[in-house]
Amino acid sequence: VGKEAQLNKSLGLFCAAVAATDLLPPSMKNNLLSSSGGQQQSHGQFEPARLTLSLMRKECHNMDVNHFDSDEVVKSLNILRKHLGQDADVPSIPTQSPEFAPKVLCSSLLCQNLGMGRLLIQCLNNVDEQMNQIACSVAMRWLEQSEDGMARREFVECGGVESLYSLMCDYVAPSRAAALRVLCHLASNDYQEVHGNSAIHRRMSGVGVFKKVSDELRLWASDDISACDPQVTEACCMLVASAARKEPVLRAELVNQGTAAALCLVLLKGNSTEKTIIAAALAGLANLAIGCPSAQEVIRSSGTIAWAVKLLDTALPPLLPLILLMLSNSLDGCSVNQDDFGACGGCDALTRV
């Protein structure tokens, strides 16, 4: 097209054209590129992208044909992760638009009939711990950079949620934490169906993701935490916070599955003073309490309001804002909780804050 503004509006079309050109026989490809004549600016944008796609096509093909060779698959996954990450060493596209940043371009190119979703699911289902953990990292970077949702749609429709659920039930803590982090991203960046229903959230709930999360949180608050891992517990809290942020119907369902009660247990009886876990649990409760009477009731009946009021005099950032947010959402529109807050000395504590 030759006009940067028009190219920026159609990154997907640009990547599709790159993909189509890369599939041409060498002679036709050379003729096409050489026929650009004086349009060197357009060629300068096109050729680096085509070379990047060729590299990715090669690595995806290597993963496909060598799926029984763990070393080869891990090698290809590491190359893809590098090109999608902060350390990406790919030919930069000469334009001022952030839409053509190398990472975003790589993510869009991976949606060009390379079967990326299927290949990642294949790796997630593998028993090799190194492979499934790197696959989670690649999936996260791919999904993060897919601004149009194509990667998320492909990943979910290939069974990504189900594979991640299986992985979060694994006995290896790093694999469980890696799977939960990808689920967090999917939950916070849901794509909507025609009627506005949360497709990914329903899928997570259907396979048992949130029930498993509640079980993990209760385990952390139990007397024996030998089987627990701080990173897994924190990721579970953040998954609830991400999922509860958007949909009122889902909040009530999460409360019914015991997530609000489990988060309260993490705060009241948790076996750690790690601020990251406390912060994540507060964020989860704050989001669950938004316009959700059942969550507000659980927070009050568990004694979490009184617990939070006691912390107001001593808490510092980043915990203080989260405590205030949780209290605000749990009191909003709930006179019983407001009375409990006042009886605990909440108004005086707020004045001191």
Side-chain angles (χ1 to χ4, degrees), residues 11 15 98-109 145-147:
L11 177 62
C15 291
E99 293 183 57
F100 278 82
K103 289 188 295 181
V104 178
L105 179 69
C106 290
S107 178
S108 298
L109 289 173
Q145 300 302 327
S146 178
E147 298 180 348

Side-chain angles (χ1 to χ4, degrees), residues 214-225 228 233 261-272:
S214 297
D215 292 342
E216 287 280 355
L217 294 175
R218 288 193 190 92
L219 187 62
W220 181 262
S222 68
D223 293 331
D224 181 14
I225 62 169
C228 295
T233 303
L263 286 170
C264 290
L265 284 174
V266 169
L267 294 175
L268 299 174
K269 299 181 180 180
N271 293 280
S272 174

